[in-house]
Amino acid sequence: MRQRLFLGGAWVEPEGGFYDVLDPATEGTVGSAPEASRDQVHAACAAAREAFGAWSRTAPEERAAVLARAAELIRDRLVPYAELAQAETGATTATARGMQVGVAAARFRRYARVESAEWAIPPQINEAGPMGRAGVMGALAVRQPVGVVACISSYNNPWANAAGKIAPALAMGNTVVVKPAPQDPLSVYRMAEALEAAGVPPGVVNVVSGASVEVGEAVVSSGDVDMVSFTGSTAVGRRIAEVCGRDMKRQLMELGGKGAALVLDDADIGSAVAGIGTTFSFYSGQICTAPTRVLAQRGVYDRLVEQLAVCARRLKVGDPREPDTVVGPVISAAHRERVESYIEAGRKEGAVVVAGGERPPPAQGFYVSPTLLADCTNDMTVAREEIFGPVVSVIPFDEEDEGVALANDSDYGLIDYVWSADVARAFRVARRLRAGGVGVNTVGRNMEAPFGGFKKSGVGRDVGSYALHAYSEVQSIVWPG
């Protein structure tokens, strides 16, 4: 597969050549991805700018129809799309079909609802102005599209993450330039094919890729781009924000996480282990919402560590195409080395490796064993920094107030978790946590709830109707009452 760029409704040969996309499970070549030149990036942004006027004036029903057709096309091609996603990301079959391609189709369906595109703000009438009743004015608040949105997606889920940006942006009348992660861009090009087949007009959706950081830099700095929606590391997000700040570009930043999981002394340990154990299995820990930093009250600490160790040891690591595989590879050799360096740092700083810690078979592929580090402290590197792999650190605490303080003692604040049999207690603790979201006795997500972080975990909120806030501007229209 030698993939071409998608610019202004045309499939274009890349001026920067091609680079190999590797299967992290086999280290074989999946296909050749295109390397866009700076001029081609600027052409994509210009095409989106040219298409914006007509698309923004298109009736919401027409935009919704395009998204609905795209959803059906993606669903009809679920199996081949999932096979490609699996080859690019190393996801297990269930994850590739359900959480990657399946969620992408669901997101297009969700924003195909016409009420999404016409999300209204109630009219407002002031009762008296500075001139008394003679100054009464009517006011109507409406939503307008931002303009051209640069959608820069993450490697851990090229389907769901990109769809979560593209679908609400298009529903609100924006045009997009999509820059997928260099590790797995081919899936995003298949999404563009589905949108093209669904009838999206030329220039409304554009996709440019590249292994070089210059491609992303060119997208973000383009004068035709009005907003940047980015999912990725806090370090990269900070650099993007600096560029956006110079031109006052709108931003939606979903950045790093170091989720604290408070397990209180009255918790159901089985439930806590099942939730925390998803760090080992779900995307092989390559997910910003993972409960990677476990804070266990002394009364349950030993039992929790023991059962988490059993959980980690029994999970099968291997070829994600095998039906009984639970933990697939991480995305690349470089990332595997990064995760392993964190495990070694934990050892040197005094953490006890209770499970994992070694490189598992097979010889081919970028595998990391599910690893449990106990007797950690909150100042250790493994407790402070995002590892993005199947590694869990456990920290003991005594009193509830101490646990809350430890949870909040972090640069991050994306998603935290609380386990307690006393739901009122759990909700009380949740309200004290400085995080954009808190799971109570669950790691599940409500896809209509606002999603985003406090502190260095991001700026803004998306998902559900909140994405319509993010990809629109509020305009007030005032007239004599």
Side-chain angles (χ1 to χ4, degrees):
M1 181 189 299
R2 287 171 64 88
Q3 180 61 55
R4 292 180 293 172
L5 305 166
F6 189 52
L7 310 180
W11 295 94
V12 179
E13 290 291 324
E15 293 176 352
F18 297 87
Y19 67 93
D20 288 342
V21 175
L22 299 182
D23 183 333
T26 66
E27 302 184 44
T29 300
V30 178
S32 297
E35 184 81 30
S37 68
R38 182 172 288 270
D39 286 345
Q40 287 180 313
V41 171
H42 290 162
C45 297
R49 170 63 61 200
E50 183 176 357
F52 170 68
W55 179 250
S56 65
R57 293 189 298 271
T58 300
E61 292 83 359
E62 293 182 39
R63 299 199 297 264
V66 170
L67 297 180
R69 288 193 293 270
E72 290 304 309
L73 287 167
I74 292 169
R75 189 177 65 178
D76 290 346
R77 301 170 184 173
L78 186 146
V79 172
Y81 283 168
E83 289 173 350
L84 175 60
Q86 185 172 55
E88 287 192 288
T89 68
T92 62
T93 300
T95 296
R97 291 185 180 185
M99 299 305 299
Q100 295 192 351
V101 182
V103 168
R107 286 181 167 173
F108 279 104
R109 283 197 303 272
R110 189 262 181 263
Y111 293 106
R113 302 205 305 249
V114 174
E115 61 267 28
S116 297
E118 290 190 315
W119 188 67
I121 302 174
Q124 303 166 33
I125 305 292
N126 66 314
E127 293 186 359
M131 303 296 291
R133 293 297 303 173
V136 172
M137 303 291 287
L140 175 66
V142 297
R143 291 208 168 267
Q144 299 279 15
V146 178
V148 177
V149 180
C151 301
I152 305 178
S153 57
S154 58
Y155 71 72
N156 59 345
N157 194 330
W159 277 95
N161 188 256
K165 300 177 185 298
I166 296 169
L170 296 184
M172 286 305 304
N174 301 284
T175 57
V176 298
V177 178
V178 188
K179 196 286 181 182
Q183 297 92 335
D184 47 18
L186 303 178
S187 289
V188 179
Y189 284 106
R190 299 291 79 72
M191 191 183 304
E193 285 181 352
L195 284 161
E196 181 186 31
V200 69
V204 171
V205 175
N206 306 270
V207 185
V208 292
S209 60
S212 169
V213 296
E214 292 181 356
V215 176
E217 289 173 349
V219 173
V220 172
S221 63
S222 169
D224 285 314
V225 168
D226 300 294
M227 174 182 173
V228 176
S229 176
F230 171 71
T231 300
S233 72
T234 296
V236 175
R238 183 183 291 114
R239 294 200 297 271
I240 291 173
E242 290 171 354
V243 176
C244 289
R246 289 197 289 269
D247 292 323
M248 300 303 292
K249 294 180 181 181
R250 301 298 182 262
Q251 303 168 46
L252 178 59
M253 297 283 182
E254 197 269 280
L255 306 178
K258 191 67 180 176
L262 278 81
V263 183
L264 302 177
D265 52 12
D266 61 348
D268 180 329
I269 299 302
S271 173
V273 169
I276 295 164
T278 61
T279 300
F280 301 132
S281 58
F282 195 45
Y283 297 130
S284 303
Q286 299 168 111
I287 183 166
C288 53
T289 59
T292 59
R293 186 170 55 111
V294 178
L295 307 174
Q297 202 159 9
R298 293 282 181 185
V300 296
Y301 177 82
D302 289 338
R303 282 186 294 147
L304 183 67
V305 169
E306 179 183 357
Q307 291 187 35
L308 281 172
V310 171
C311 172
R313 294 187 190 114
R314 74 182 180 205
L315 299 177
K316 180 188 173 183
V317 181
D319 186 346
R321 296 168 179 83
E322 296 294 329
D324 58 343
T325 293
V326 180
V327 183
V330 296
I331 194 66
S332 66
H335 189 58
R336 176 178 60 185
E337 291 175 4
R338 179 178 182 273
V339 173
E340 289 174 339
S341 73
Y342 274 109
I343 297 170
E344 184 58 29
R347 281 195 180 101
K348 290 180 178 179
E349 292 179 8
V352 177
V353 180
V354 181
E358 74 288 337
R359 184 176 294 186
Q364 296 295 312
F366 311 127
Y367 296 96
V368 176
S369 292
T371 299
L372 180 66
L373 304 175
D375 296 342
C376 297
T377 59
N378 211 44
D379 59 353
M380 289 181 177
T381 303
V382 291
R384 306 300 304 179
E385 299 182 14
E386 185 177 38
I387 299 173
F388 224 59
V391 181
V392 171
S393 305
V394 189
I395 302 167
F397 69 92
D398 294 303
E399 301 300 327
E400 182 180 300
D401 286 349
E402 179 190 1
V404 171
L406 288 170
N408 289 334
D409 180 19
S410 173
D411 290 337
Y412 299 103
L414 187 58
I415 304 289
D416 285 346
Y417 304 89
V418 182
W419 270 273
S420 172
D422 184 341
V423 175
R425 181 190 188 192
F427 271 79
R428 183 183 69 245
V429 170
R431 291 293 302 272
R432 298 176 64 192
L433 298 177
R434 296 289 297 162
V438 181
V440 172
N441 294 326
T442 183
V443 294
R445 291 262 309 278
N446 181 322
M447 298 310 293
E448 290 297 315
F451 180 71
F454 288 10
K455 298 183 278 188
K456 294 182 181 178
S457 285
V459 177
R461 295 293 181 271
D462 69 354
V463 180
S465 63
Y466 296 89
L468 304 174
H469 287 264
Y471 294 101
S472 62
E473 298 274 23
V474 177
Q475 181 185 61
S476 60
I477 301 174
V478 180
W479 66 93

